[in-house]
Amino acid sequence: MKVNLEQVNKTFSKGKDDSLHVLNDIDLKIEAGEFVSLLGPSGCGKTTILNLIAGLDHPTSGEVIVNGEKVKKPGTDRVVVFQQGGLFPWMNVMDNVTYGLLLKKMSKKEAEEKAMEGLRMVHLGNFTQAFPHELSGGMKQRVAIARSLVMDPDVLLMDEPFAALDEQTRIILHQELQEIWEQTGKTIVFITHNIREALTLSERVLLMSTRPGEIKRSFTVQAARPRDPSDSVLVNLEKRVMGELEEEMEKVLKEEFGDDYRFKTSAVRDRNRDHMGDHI
Ligand SMILES: Nc1ncnc2c1ncn2[C@@H]1O[C@H](COP(=O)(O)OP(=O)(O)O)[C@@H](O)[C@H]1O
Ligand SMILES: [Mg+2]
């Protein structure tokens, strides 16, 4: 077992008497080399789970175990890729990618060789001297992925890394990430609120319910790679996941708009099918 959450609860205190129960009894087992997505509406606790695995935060109760050891703090065995890659703007691509390796006291020559390997994997071998402001959003995220890969982590934690990218760029990055996963065999925990993204990438999609967040359902995705979103297996699975996600979204909207809120007939589903919906 690579990543194991046992009966994890997380409560944030908001002032003296108020608290927010964000995660409720999360049990999660991720095998070595698995590609798992956590899918759920905004605010359900996805990033909180990732932070717990990364060691950036601690559970209120329960345990997070990676490679058989209780997680106490961040470590280079678990690297996070964020939505905004977090490159150093004053460093060129090569220096951004070698930064973590040099901190680990690797020689400059070896670090640069490793960085080249990582950059080639994301097809940016010709951009070593470019600065972040000279790169597109997709290229920046690819540098961020290369920078994480060269650290050779056991687990790659990705928090909506492609959410800010346009659709075409995202499709290309989905292909690259699938190739990287197949080549490296890394364990990947990928967070998204995008159903199609989760199904295109992962072996297993874990659907979370709204607060307090729980793992509501697990879907195994058995479609050939590289995945084609029009594959009938994926299309059928997408409908099932969408139905369940709709229920959760309705709960969120009722919380925001009050109990008299009525979910219009399949607003989510219709939007995804590119037509105006039956309720008009
Ligand atoms: N450090 C914190 N202090 C207080 N509340 C927090 C903190 N971090 C997250 N939350 C709250 O916990 C809930 C879950 O947040 P998060 O895990 O970021 O959700 P998601 O990533 O699924 O959108 C949200 O209501 C958020 O406001
Ligand atoms: Mg989040």
Side-chain angles (χ1 to χ4, degrees):
M1 203 73 57
K2 193 55 99 178
V3 179
N4 201 356
L5 271 67
E6 289 176 4
Q7 291 286 300
V8 165
N9 280 274
K10 180 69 183 177
T11 304
F12 291 110
S13 57
K14 293 174 27 181
K16 239 170 76 191
D17 313 303
D18 204 8
S19 64
L20 190 66
H21 189 191
V22 173
L23 297 178
N24 187 43
D25 287 345
I26 303 278
D27 281 312
L28 177 58
K29 290 185 193 326
I30 298 171
E31 302 291 342
E34 220 185 338
F35 194 138
V36 173
S37 283
L38 286 173
L39 174 74
S42 170
C44 73
K46 301 181 296 296
T47 295
T48 304
I49 291 188
L50 206 82
N51 286 342
L52 296 178
I53 300 172
L56 296 167
D57 202 350
H58 302 284
T60 309
S61 66
E63 295 207 326
V64 181
I65 296 157
V66 174
N67 274 339
E69 286 194 26
K70 195 170 159 175
V71 169
K72 296 199 176 113
K73 56 181 173 46
T76 49
D77 56 332
R78 292 152 282 135
V79 174
V80 187
V81 179
F82 297 99
Q83 184 174 327
Q84 308 291 348
L87 302 179
F88 299 128
W90 62 90
M91 286 186 190
N92 69 21
V93 166
M94 177 56 85
D95 291 345
N96 263 289
V97 179
T98 53
Y99 182 79
L101 296 172
L102 297 174
L103 275 187
K104 286 209 307 191
K105 304 272 183 266
M106 188 179 277
S107 74
K108 195 163 168 35
K109 184 167 174 288
E110 202 183 337
E112 287 185 351
E113 278 168 16
K114 256 200 162 304
M116 264 324 278
E117 237 176 75
L119 286 167
R120 283 208 194 94
M121 210 175 262
V122 294
H123 306 108
L124 284 178
N126 293 329
F127 288 85
T128 55
Q129 300 308 306
F131 283 85
H133 74 270
E134 297 172 295
L135 303 176
S136 68
M139 289 160 96
K140 280 186 218 163
Q141 284 309 76
R142 281 150 67 196
V143 176
I145 291 171
R147 185 181 57 175
S148 304
L149 284 175
V150 297
M151 300 307 286
D152 201 19
D154 285 334
V155 186
L156 196 55
L157 303 166
M158 308 186 86
D159 194 355
E160 311 214 28
F162 309 144
L165 304 178
D166 62 83
E167 186 66 18
Q168 274 69 36
T169 307
R170 201 179 306 149
I171 290 169
I172 294 168
L173 279 161
H174 286 165
Q175 283 175 359
E176 277 194 0
L177 186 59
Q178 287 185 76
E179 281 166 20
I180 287 170
W181 176 69
E182 285 178 326
Q183 282 171 25
T184 62
K186 296 273 174 230
T187 309
I188 300 183
V189 183
F190 189 97
I191 288 194
T192 180
H193 58 258
N194 182 318
I195 300 176
R196 193 163 292 174
E197 177 166 79
L199 293 175
T200 303
L201 293 173
S202 358
E203 301 291 281
R204 202 147 55 97
V205 176
L206 302 175
L207 180 66
M208 290 185 66
S209 64
T210 48
R211 242 182 14 243
E214 292 179 358
I215 309 275
K216 181 179 177 182
R217 192 90 67 218
S218 166
F219 298 90
T220 304
V221 190
Q222 283 170 323
R225 289 183 190 272
R227 297 234 170 108
D228 171 2
S230 62
D231 183 328
S232 63
V233 174
L234 295 185
V235 173
N236 288 330
L237 207 47
E238 187 173 335
K239 277 187 210 147
R240 279 175 55 203
V241 180
M242 189 109 54
E244 301 240 9
L245 192 60
E246 242 170 51
E247 279 176 29
E248 294 309 313
M249 289 188 58
E250 185 164 3
K251 280 192 225 155
V252 175
L253 292 169
K254 277 198 164 136
E255 226 176 68
E256 284 177 13
F257 292 92
D259 260 352
D260 54 346
Y261 181 81
R262 291 274 171 279
F263 210 45
K264 301 280 188 301
T265 51
S266 301
V268 183
R269 204 174 303 166
D270 290 339
R271 198 181 54 216
N272 253 299
R273 282 183 192 155
D274 280 328
H275 67 80
M276 299 298 281
D278 302 322
H279 54 285
I280 305 177

